[in-house]
Amino acid sequence: MEKQATINLEQQFQDRVDQDIRIEPKDWMPEKYRQTLIRQISQHAHSEIVGMLPEGNWITRAPSLRRKATLIAKVQDEAGHGLYLYSAAETLGISRAEMIDQLHTGKAKYSSIFNYPTLTWADIGAIGWLVDGAAIMNQVPLCRTSYGPYARAMVRICKEESFHQRQGFEILLTLSRGTEAQKAMCQDAINRWWWPSIMMFGPADDASPHTAQSMKWKIKRFTNDELRQKFVDICAEQVKILGMQLPDSELKWNPETGHHDFGKINWEEFWQVISGNGPCNKERIAARVKAHEEGAWVREAATAFASKQAQKQSAAVA
Amino acid sequence: MKTFIQIQRYGDYGDREPVKAEGATQNQADWPLWEVFIRSKMGLDHKHVGSLHAADAQMAIENARDVYTRRQEGISIWVVESKYIHASNPDEAASFYDPANDKVYRHPTFYDLPDELKAM
């Protein structure tokens, strides 16, 4: 009897998804859908927060006041994006404290890209162009994802993200028109960020076992490889404006497929970085934990102040 | 198979007690959650835009400014603690909204009037 009832609920749920009716927090949903979303949204939130670290590294050394102001604004946006996403995940029944704890203990993952170091100023340009570009490619379809709060968070994020990519490209464009040393710095940054950026779309479709279910639930709207191909096609054109090269000797337009062919991705590196062995994994988590622990007294003081004020107020009323 | 039906009485975040991370002390518990409503310009309603955690109302308003109006999206902010939001139950939607289903005469197009009739 109960089993039959669940099957009916699942059918009704799938029917709604098929009709593109959004699922809202209080609606019935399969437990697996809830868990998948919690994992995906919280990973996404963690990525926004950890993503502030490699860029924050260059705020004090930005080459001009204009660059410094925009970089600060961008990093502040990332904090906001993390907050929108944490809030969306909280509607699924996980607390903020639990999510933070999962990040700090390594139980939750974040995008592998943020485990690479930002060695030069040009890296800030490459991150804006490639990393934010790949993120936008991933995020635009998520504005139509089946879970309402996630979709709404993504709409907000996508609106803000386009300045990020444009400011990055502008940095690279300026360097590409500069001295020989600046041009070399620009090319070097592209060389280092290109492959990790196209890894951001995740494992190839045949190595991504959850894709089919996520597509059926419309959590994902395109597969990893579809989005990756789109990104490669766009960047292969954009790089020409910079007069630079993408570091892939096999990158070539294929008139038959109407897409660019590209070289083999080093998946061994990807899995190594995901599992904690990237150049900066330990440093990133250590920085988050330190910030959280050293901020504890601020959180405690604010709580104490609030309860004291509340007491004062109720005393005044009485 | 497990049937998962969550009963929530108070808006999107439900009536759960604030959950603490494993091993967390009292001080590591989350600040209360607040819902944020923004008036984008004079003459328009405040509209729900999202939520955030804050220790008190003043902090909630200041954080809402920093998070939700960085690009001049608002000229007025309301915040209310999420636990005070009461919400209708989607599982009862069919019967709850039923009374309106058979009253098409509430719409102007229901009425049959000649085309010559102007300005109505």
Side-chain angles (χ1 to χ4, degrees), chain B residues 10 34 80-86:
Chain B
Y10 303 102
W34 301 74
V80 59
E81 245 188 280
S82 307
K83 67 181 183 189
Y84 296 122
I85 303 258
H86 295 247

Side-chain angles (χ1 to χ4, degrees), chain B residues 59-120:
Chain B
M59 185 195 278
I61 289 173
E62 284 168 11
N63 287 357
R65 174 202 60 193
D66 292 343
V67 178
Y68 293 106
T69 67
R70 285 198 300 284
R71 290 174 176 77
Q72 298 174 295
E73 290 96 336
I75 51 153
S76 167
I77 297 173
W78 286 353
V79 293
V80 59
E81 245 188 280
S82 307
K83 67 181 183 189
Y84 296 122
I85 303 258
H86 295 247
S88 61
N89 182 352
D91 298 334
E92 293 163 4
S95 60
F96 192 70
Y97 299 105
D98 173 72
N101 286 350
D102 57 356
K103 298 183 179 60
V104 281
Y105 46 82
R106 282 185 166 145
H107 297 278
T109 47
F110 176 76
Y111 299 92
D112 253 337
L113 296 175
D115 290 345
E116 305 89 87
L117 183 68
K118 299 294 179 202
M120 185 179 286

